[in-house]
Amino acid sequence: MSFREKSAWVMAAVMVLTGLYYGKLALAAPDAPAGATLVPYVVVVVVLSVVVQIVLAVANPKEADAPADERERAIIARAGNWSGIALGAGVISAAIGFTAHGNGTLFFHLVIGALIASQVLEYLFQIVLYRRGV
């Protein structure tokens, strides 16, 4: 398994766990200002991401420093394209929900949820493409 595939597995797990954390924060205080849920979420994501990437880099120092080859660049680009489409669909769905309900806080949480979901999908798409050998 390549370093980037390992990274995708770990980051997918980080994003799922932190996405659940964000959902818990948002549900616990649905009318709280956006920063009350976003700031703790961002801090946790940054800290966990840095920690897991350091651990991966220490475990595989030569692979961590290697540039992406042609195959890896194509996989990253394709997964990013697909996750961008998912993000767009999520934001459009949130906008439709906003026009129906008019709740700006809910709209904000739905957009952040779409962003988290699209990031998880990007890592999952990368994993699938690495496994398929594309």
Side-chain angles (χ1 to χ4, degrees):
M1 187 180 319
S2 73
F3 177 81
R4 284 181 178 73
E5 184 180 353
K6 291 175 196 173
S7 177
W9 277 104
V10 173
M11 289 306 297
V14 165
M15 292 307 297
V16 167
L17 292 174
T18 57
L20 292 172
Y21 174 66
Y22 183 81
K24 178 183 168 194
L25 290 174
L27 289 173
D31 295 326
T37 54
L38 188 61
V39 171
Y41 167 75
V42 169
V43 169
V44 171
V45 168
V46 169
V47 169
L48 283 177
S49 298
V50 168
V51 168
V52 298
Q53 291 300 323
I54 288 172
V55 169
L56 282 175
V58 168
N60 303 300
K62 289 183 182 177
E63 289 181 53
D65 202 26
D69 61 17
E70 292 175 19
R71 178 179 154 271
E72 290 173 331
R73 286 194 300 269
I75 287 172
I76 292 166
R78 185 176 292 173
N81 183 28
W82 292 346
S83 72
I85 293 168
L87 175 60
V91 170
I92 289 170
S93 298
I96 291 169
F98 178 72
T99 59
H101 300 288
N103 185 340
T105 304
L106 176 62
F107 175 69
F108 178 82
H109 291 312
L110 290 175
V111 168
I112 296 298
L115 182 62
I116 294 167
S118 74
Q119 193 62 52
V120 170
L121 284 174
E122 181 172 357
Y123 292 127
L124 294 178
F125 290 146
Q126 284 181 18
I127 291 165
V128 168
L129 291 173
Y130 277 119
R131 291 290 163 166
R132 277 190 12 192
V134 174

